Amino acid sequence: MPPRRLVLAALTVALVLVSAVGCGDGGELLGAGATPTATGPDRLWPGLRPASSPAWDYEDGESELVRGITAPGDDIHKVDPVAVVRAEISRHPGAYTGAKATYRETVRRMDDCGESATTDSRPATDGETVAGGRCPVLKTYYRDLTGDGRDDLTLGFRLLPGNQTAVRVYTFRSGRLVQVMSNDDAVTGVELAGRSVIIRSPSDIPAYEYRFQWTWDPEQRLMLLTHDEMLRTGDGKHSKRPSPTAAPSLSPSLSPSASTP
């Protein structure tokens, strides 16, 4: 072998040895400590007779037809959100009208929303409500939550005189406006993610909050409550979760009750 190649070969071997020593010093495996013993789930009371029906009506498997509200080409952007809220009030007078109605103050403040407050032509003046001032109807949001390629309407309005917020989702189905999700609660935040609506609510326990995830189910043609959990927020603040005020059932089912999984 020529002397030049011998020198290059020797240098290559030296570099490989140095690299190997460096990698060994900096990349050696470190112990992670003792691994806890895995324990499998234990089934309790295997002889207990399984329940065949829920103990309470969770009202998470119903849809409601909104009569009298249409839009050209079923364009949900053309729907007046104030008209939608007024339609709900008229369908459920027991909850909204009358001196002892649970949400009577919501009705009083609807006068501050005006006759029409479609967000396409009348944007929110204060960033939160469609008409500003004391109007309880919140700014609307549009996203395809049902997976049909068309936007759906996510609408919120304050349930007064308490501190709860109504969150609703609407879609057009064969020329008819249909409510496919309904949730009333004390709300600290609402998010849209994929085909889901995520609602955050305060908890009685400091540094924790409730999170409810409603997800579109194409078979039931509804948004169902798929996750209900308490999660740690880590802020250490105590936020009292108010007890929800008992209210009459608001929505007769458009679908048979058997649609609830």
Side-chain angles (χ1 to χ4, degrees), residues 188 201-210 233 235-242:
T188 58
S201 298
S203 166
D204 287 328
I205 303 175
Y208 280 84
E209 70 176 8
Y210 293 101
T233 61
D235 55 14
K237 297 179 181 178
H238 187 286
S239 56
K240 181 71 174 177
R241 176 181 172 85

Side-chain angles (χ1 to χ4, degrees), residues 59-134:
E59 297 184 354
D60 61 352
E62 297 180 345
S63 61
E64 184 176 0
L65 176 64
V66 183
R67 300 182 183 278
I69 296 181
T70 60
D74 288 354
D75 183 0
I76 202 126
H77 294 265
K78 302 300 183 182
V79 170
D80 181 0
V82 172
V84 174
V85 175
R86 286 189 171 128
E88 175 169 328
I89 292 172
S90 65
R91 292 194 307 274
H92 309 293
Y96 293 101
T97 59
K100 296 183 179 180
T102 307
Y103 309 127
R104 57 193 179 278
E105 185 63 24
T106 296
V107 178
R108 295 191 183 102
R109 294 195 185 185
M110 288 299 294
D111 292 337
D112 294 334
C113 299
E115 291 300 322
S116 178
T118 306
T119 53
D120 286 350
S121 60
R122 187 176 176 182
T125 57
D126 63 358
E128 294 298 335
T129 65
V130 297
R134 289 160 51 88

Side-chain angles (χ1 to χ4, degrees), residues 72-76 143-152 171-172:
D74 288 354
D75 183 0
I76 202 126
R143 177 179 291 191
D144 179 14
L145 295 173
T146 60
D148 62 357
R150 299 169 62 92
D151 279 346
D152 303 300
T171 188
F172 269 110

